[in-house]
C-alpha cells in the first residue's frame, strides 16, 4: 500500500475517560489505535461495556478524546463532519414525522430544496423496499422497517464514512439476515468506508473486510483479522462456508478470553 | 374481557357486547341525573323547610331565577355577556402572553445550561411567591383597568408553562438529537425540528391546565378591584349578601371554563395526531 493514501479514519493513542458517579476516573479507551482505509468495511467486536460506542462517538465528533488523535481523511476531527453517517443502536427516527419527512431531513437540514430532496428520498425508499410507506409514521412500522428507514435516512446524505452501532441487534434472525444483505448491496454500490460495531461475531465476519477485537475495558485493539472471503457475499449461504467457520472460530476463541476477563473485573468491582 | 367470558351470560339474554355496553352507559347517565336531582331537590326542600338558611346558602330555584334575570335583564353592573366577555378577554390575553413567555423561556433555558444555572434560582423564588398576593401589587401599580388583570393571569400561566416546557426540552430523546445533528442540523434546526416537537406534548398538557389558571387570575384580579367582569359580579353579590348571585356567577364561570377546556382538547388532538393510531 502506498504511504500517500490517507486512511478514512485514523485513531492514534486515543484515550477517553469518564468521571464515574463514585468520583473516580473511568477509562473507556486507553492507547487505542485503529486505521480504516477508504472504502473499507471494518467491524469491531468486544465485550459489552468495553468502549465500542465510545469509539464511534469520537469518530462522529460527538465527543472529544482526552488524549491522542482522531483523524478523518487526514484532518483532525473537531466537530460533526458532513461526510459522516451514523446509524444508531436505538431508534432515532423523529416519531412526529412521516417516513418521507424523516428521510428528507438530512438534505433539507443541509440546504437542499424540499422538492428535490423528496425526489431523492423516494428513490432511496424504493431501494430499501418501503415505497408504499412514505406517508406512514415510524410507530406504524415494524422494527425492521424502521431500521430500513434509518438506513435510507443515512445513505441519502452519501456518507463517505459510515458508522453503525449494532444496527441490527434488535431484529429477529430472518430480518437481520435480510438487512445484512441489503446493507452489503447498498455499500457495494456506494463504496464508502464503514465502521460497524456488533455483538455478533458471525455478523462481523460475514460482512467485514477486517475485524478488530477489542480488549476488556479500558479498550484497545487486541487483534486485527483480515477477512479474505470473496465478494459479493450472501450472508445466508456464506454462513455454512467452511472457510468462514474456520475464521469465525479463531476469532471467537480470541474474543472469549476478553469477555471472561471483563466478567471477572466486573465481578471484582461488585465485591 | 367481556368477549373472553363464556358465552352463557350474554347469550342467555340474547344481547351482544355492543348492546350491553350501551345499556351500561344509559344506566350510568340515569344514575348521574338521579344524584343531581337528589342533591338539588334536597337543597331546595331544605331551604323551603328552613333546614338550610337560603339567606346564607342560596337555593336552586333562586339561583335559576337569578341566572334567568341576568340573561334577560342584565346584572347590577351591566349586561351579563359583557361581564363574560371582559373576563374572557383578560384571561385569553393573559393566557397567550404567559404561554408564549413560558414556552420561549422554558426552551431557551432547557437548551442552554448556563442560562438555566443563572436563572433557575430566580424562577424558583418567583414560583414560591403566592401568586394571588401579586394581584394587590398589580392593582396598585397598574390600576383598576384591564392591565392589572392580564398581568395576574400572565404570572399564573407563566410558571406552569415554563416548568413544563423546560422539562419537555430536558426529556427530548438524546439519540434523536444526536441523529439530527449528524444528519446536518444546526443548533437552531435541532431546537426547531427536534426539541420543540418532542416537548410539544408537555407544553400542550400545561396549556390545558393553565387556561384555568388564567381564568382564576383574571377573576381574582377583578375581585380585588375592577369596574367590570365576573370577579366584580361575585364581589358585588357578596357585598349585598346575595348567595344566589354568587352561585349563579360560579355556574357561568364553570360553563365558560368547560367550553374553553373542550376547545383546547380539540386542538391538542390535532397537534398530537402522530401519537394516535
Ligand atoms: N457519558 C458517560 N458517562 C460515564 N461513563 C460512560 C459514559 N458513556 C460511557 N461510559 C462508560 O464507558 C464504558 C464504555 O461504554 P460504551 O457505551 O462505549 O460501551 P460499549 O462497548 O458500546 O458497550 P455495549 O456493547 O454494551 O453497547 C462503559 O463502562 C460505560 O459505563
Ligand atoms: Mg454500545
Amino acid at each position: 500500500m502506498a504511504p500517500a493514501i490517507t486512511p478514512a479514519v485514523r485513531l492514534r493513542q486515543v484515550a477517553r475517560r469518564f468521571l464515574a458517579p463514585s468520583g473516580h476516573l473511568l477509562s473507556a479507551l486507553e492507547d487505542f489505535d485503529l486505521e480504516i482505509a477508504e472504502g473499507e468495511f471494518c467491524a469491531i467486536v468486544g465485550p459489552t461495556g468495553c468502549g465500542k460506542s465510545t469509539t464511534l462517538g469520537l469518530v462522529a465528533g460527538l465527543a472529544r478524546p482526552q488524549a491522542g488523535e482522531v483523524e478523518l481523511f487526514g484532518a483532525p476531527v473537531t466537530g460533526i463532519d458532513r461526510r459522516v453517517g451514523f446509524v444508531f443502536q436505538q431508534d432515532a427516527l423523529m416519531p412526529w414525522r412521516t417516513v418521507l419527512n424523516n428521510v428528507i431531513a438530512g438534505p433539507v437540514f443541509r440546504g437542499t430544496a424540499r422538492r428535490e430532496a423528496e425526489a431523492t428520498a423516494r428513490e432511496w425508499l424504493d431501494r430499501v423496499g418501503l415505497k408504499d410507506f412514505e406517508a406512514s409514521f415510524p410507530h406504524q412500522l415494524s422494527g425492521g422497517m424502521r431500521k430500513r428507514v434509518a438506513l435510507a435516512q443515512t445513505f441519502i446524505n452519501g456518507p463517505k464514512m459510515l458508522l453503525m452501532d449494532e444496527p441490527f441487534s434488535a431484529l429477529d434472525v430472518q430480518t437481520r439476515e435480510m438487512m445484512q444483505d441489503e446493507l452489503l448491496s447498498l455499500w457495494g454500490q456506494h463504496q464508502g468506508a464503514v465502521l460497524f460495531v456488533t455483538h455478533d461475531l458471525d455478523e462481523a465476519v460475514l460482512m467485514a473486510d477486517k475485524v478488530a477485537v477489542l480488549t476488556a475495558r479500558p479498550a484497545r485493539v487486541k487483534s486485527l483479522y483480515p477477512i479474505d472471503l470473496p465478494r459479493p457475499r450472501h450472508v445466508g449461504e456464506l454462513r455454512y462456508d467452511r472457510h468462514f467457520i474456520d475464521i469465525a472460530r479463531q476469532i471467537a476463541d480470541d474474543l472469549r478470553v476478553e469477555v471472561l476477563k471483563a466478567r471477572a473485573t466486573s465481578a471484582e468491582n461488585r465485591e | 374481557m367481556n368477549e373472553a367470558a363464556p358465552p352463557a351470560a350474554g347469550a342467555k339474554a340474547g344481547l351482544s357486547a355492543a348492546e350491553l355496553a350501551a345499556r351500561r352507559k344509559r344506566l350510568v347517565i340515569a344514575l348521574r341525573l338521579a344524584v343531581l336531582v337528589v342533591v338539588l331537590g334536597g337543597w331546595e326542600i331544605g331551604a323551603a323547610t328552613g333546614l338550610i338558611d337560603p339567606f346564607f346558602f342560596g337555593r336552586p330555584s333562586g339561583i335559576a331565577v337569578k341566572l334567568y334575570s341576568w340573561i334577560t335583564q342584565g346584572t347590577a353592573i351591566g349586561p351579563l355577556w359583557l361581564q363574560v366577555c371582559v373576563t374572557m378577554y383578560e384571561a385569553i390575553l393573559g393566557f397567550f402572553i404567559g404561554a408564549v413567555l413560558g414556552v420561549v423561556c422554558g426552551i431557551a433555558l432547557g437548551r442552554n445550561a448556563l442560562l438555566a444555572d443563572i436563572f433557575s434560582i430566580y424562577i424558583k423564588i418567583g414560583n414560591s411567591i403566592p401568586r394571588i398576593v401579586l394581584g394587590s401589587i398589580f392593582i396598585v401599580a397598574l390600576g383598576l383597568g384591564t392591565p392589572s388583570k392580564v398581568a395576574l393571569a400572565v404570572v399564573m400561566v407563566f410558571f406552569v408553562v415554563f416548568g413544563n416546557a423546560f422539562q419537555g426540552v430536558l426529556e427530548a430523546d438524546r439519540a434523536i438529537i444526536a441523529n439530527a445533528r449528524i444528519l446536518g442540523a444546526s443548533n437552531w434546526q435541532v431546537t426547531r425540528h427536534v426539541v420543540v416537537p418532542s416537548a410539544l406534548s408537555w407544553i400542550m398538557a400545561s396549556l390545558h391546565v393553565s387556561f384555568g389558571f388564567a381564568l382564576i387570575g383574571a377573576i381574582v384580579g377583578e375581585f380585588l378591584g375592577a369596574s367590570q367582569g365576573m370577579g366584580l359580579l361575585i364581589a358585588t353579590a357578596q357585598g349585598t349578601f346575595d348567595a344566589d348571585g354568587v352561585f349563579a356567577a360560579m355556574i357561568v364561570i364553570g360553563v365558560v371554563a368547560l367550553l374553553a377546556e373542550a376547545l383546547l382538547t380539540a386542538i391538542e388532538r390535532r397537534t398530537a395526531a402522530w401519537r394516535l393510531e
Side-chain angles (χ1 to χ4, degrees):
Chain A
M1 200 191 279
I5 298 174
T6 52
V9 171
R10 173 187 281 148
L11 293 125
R12 242 188 331 214
Q13 294 292 300
V14 168
R16 171 94 178 126
R17 308 172 188 117
F18 295 106
L19 199 59
S22 58
H24 66 265
L25 221 51
L26 186 147
S27 270
L29 307 182
E30 216 56 69
D31 295 334
F32 193 100
D33 289 296
L34 183 68
E35 268 187 31
I36 301 165
E38 262 188 68
E40 190 177 31
F41 196 127
C42 174
I44 293 188
V45 294
T48 180
C50 74
K52 303 183 294 293
S53 302
T54 305
T55 311
L56 291 192
L58 291 174
V59 177
L62 290 170
R64 300 287 152 75
Q66 270 81 32
E69 289 151 44
V70 182
E71 286 178 6
L72 257 183
F73 303 104
V77 173
T78 53
I80 287 166
D81 192 294
R82 292 171 71 101
R83 291 167 296 187
V84 170
F86 200 146
V87 179
F88 288 83
Q89 180 172 3
Q90 319 88 309
D91 255 330
L93 298 174
M94 292 170 265
W96 50 87
R97 286 192 176 204
T98 61
V99 166
L100 185 71
N101 284 333
N102 263 292
V103 177
I104 65 168
V108 170
F109 284 153
R110 291 170 182 212
T112 308
R114 202 191 154 82
R115 198 166 272 274
E116 198 181 316
E118 276 178 5
T120 333
R122 290 205 171 89
E123 283 168 27
W124 276 105
L125 283 175
D126 194 15
R127 228 163 283 166
V128 297
L130 289 174
K131 208 165 113 186
D132 299 332
F133 293 91
E134 64 167 63
S136 306
F137 286 94
H139 71 93
Q140 296 166 319
L141 306 180
S142 71
M145 289 155 97
R146 281 202 291 269
K147 268 280 113 78
R148 280 186 285 175
V149 177
L151 285 185
Q153 187 184 50
T154 299
F155 272 95
I156 195 174
N157 275 338
K160 293 243 163 14
M161 179 70 230
L162 181 58
L163 307 171
M164 305 184 91
D165 195 353
E166 307 186 25
F168 307 143
S169 59
L171 305 179
D172 63 275
V173 179
Q174 285 79 24
T175 315
R176 188 185 311 176
E177 207 161 88
M178 199 172 75
M179 296 293 302
Q180 289 165 345
D181 273 330
E182 225 159 89
L183 174 62
L184 281 182
S185 88
L186 290 178
W187 173 69
Q189 299 158 29
H190 169 89
Q191 287 296 342
V194 181
L195 182 51
F196 188 99
V197 166
T198 175
H199 265 126
D200 179 352
L201 180 59
D202 285 357
E203 180 174 66
V205 178
L206 287 168
M207 302 183 70
D209 296 321
K210 166 164 111 183
V211 174
V213 177
L214 303 192
T215 61
R217 209 184 58 228
R220 322 172 264 105
V221 176
K222 183 189 188 195
S223 25
L224 271 177
Y225 293 89
I227 310 294
D228 53 359
L229 298 167
R231 294 196 189 268
R233 298 181 190 168
H234 287 285
V235 172
E237 296 159 28
L238 200 56
R239 197 176 281 287
Y240 305 102
D241 185 279
R242 275 226 76 84
H243 189 40
F244 159 73
I245 294 172
D246 288 342
I247 301 173
R249 180 172 305 146
Q250 192 192 352
I251 305 178
D253 290 338
D254 198 355
L255 180 59
R256 192 168 309 120
V257 177
E258 291 308 317
V259 172
L260 289 176
K261 233 186 265 173
R263 204 169 293 163
T265 37
S266 73
E268 246 169 57
N269 290 347
R270 231 175 287 131
E271 275 159 20
Chain B
M1 271 184 287
N2 283 336
E3 293 86 338
K12 216 191 311 175
L15 290 172
S16 70
E19 280 169 316
L20 279 174
R23 212 181 227 207
R24 191 181 143 71
K25 201 171 167 191
R26 280 198 298 274
L27 179 69
V28 169
I29 291 174
L31 286 175
R32 281 177 182 169
L33 280 174
V35 169
L36 189 68
V37 167
V38 167
V39 170
L40 290 184
W43 186 358
E44 184 69 40
I45 291 168
T49 56
L51 219 60
I52 300 170
D53 189 342
F55 179 79
F56 295 116
F57 297 104
R59 59 197 292 177
S61 59
I63 297 168
V65 168
K66 189 93 205 169
L67 268 177
Y68 181 75
S69 84
W70 276 356
I71 292 166
T72 52
Q73 291 147 37
T75 67
I77 56 172
L80 181 64
W81 63 265
L82 184 66
Q83 312 314 313
V84 172
C85 284
V86 165
T87 304
M88 284 304 280
Y89 171 73
E90 292 158 354
I92 290 173
L93 197 60
F95 173 72
F96 271 110
I97 297 172
V100 168
L101 281 179
V103 168
V104 169
C105 294
I107 289 172
L109 265 61
R111 287 288 282 154
N112 189 320
L114 181 65
L115 281 185
D117 286 343
I118 296 171
F119 286 104
S120 58
I121 178 82
Y122 296 113
I123 291 196
K124 242 178 235 155
I125 292 170
N127 198 16
S128 67
I129 298 174
R131 277 169 302 276
I132 304 301
V133 175
L134 290 173
S136 306
I137 298 168
F138 289 144
I139 288 186
V140 171
L142 301 172
L144 290 179
T146 312
S148 55
K149 289 30 166 214
V150 174
L152 190 55
V154 167
V155 293
M156 295 287 289
V157 171
F158 173 81
F159 287 101
V160 181
V161 176
F162 169 83
N164 268 43
F166 184 72
Q167 195 58 32
V169 170
L170 295 191
E171 301 275 316
D173 191 315
R174 309 205 139 254
I176 299 179
I177 292 176
N179 191 35
R181 287 179 61 202
I182 289 187
L183 289 174
S186 62
N187 267 336
W188 165 243
Q189 282 170 324
V190 168
T191 303
R192 158 109 173 60
H193 294 285
V194 179
V195 171
V196 170
S198 63
L200 203 59
S201 56
W202 283 79
I203 293 172
M204 282 311 297
S206 71
L207 294 187
H208 214 125
V209 292
S210 64
F211 187 75
F213 285 167
L215 211 51
I216 293 173
I219 290 168
V220 170
E222 290 165 353
F223 196 88
L224 293 175
S227 52
Q228 271 177 328
M230 294 304 298
L232 180 64
L233 197 56
I234 294 179
T236 312
Q238 179 194 312
T240 55
F241 293 96
D242 176 9
D244 286 342
V246 175
F247 279 113
M250 264 169 55
I251 290 173
V252 173
I253 292 166
V255 168
V256 167
L258 281 175
L259 287 178
E261 155 102 15
L263 190 69
L264 277 166
T265 307
I267 295 172
E268 197 173 9
R269 283 255 164 76
R270 292 196 53 174
T271 56
W274 60 272
R275 246 176 251 287
L276 305 168
E277 215 45 10

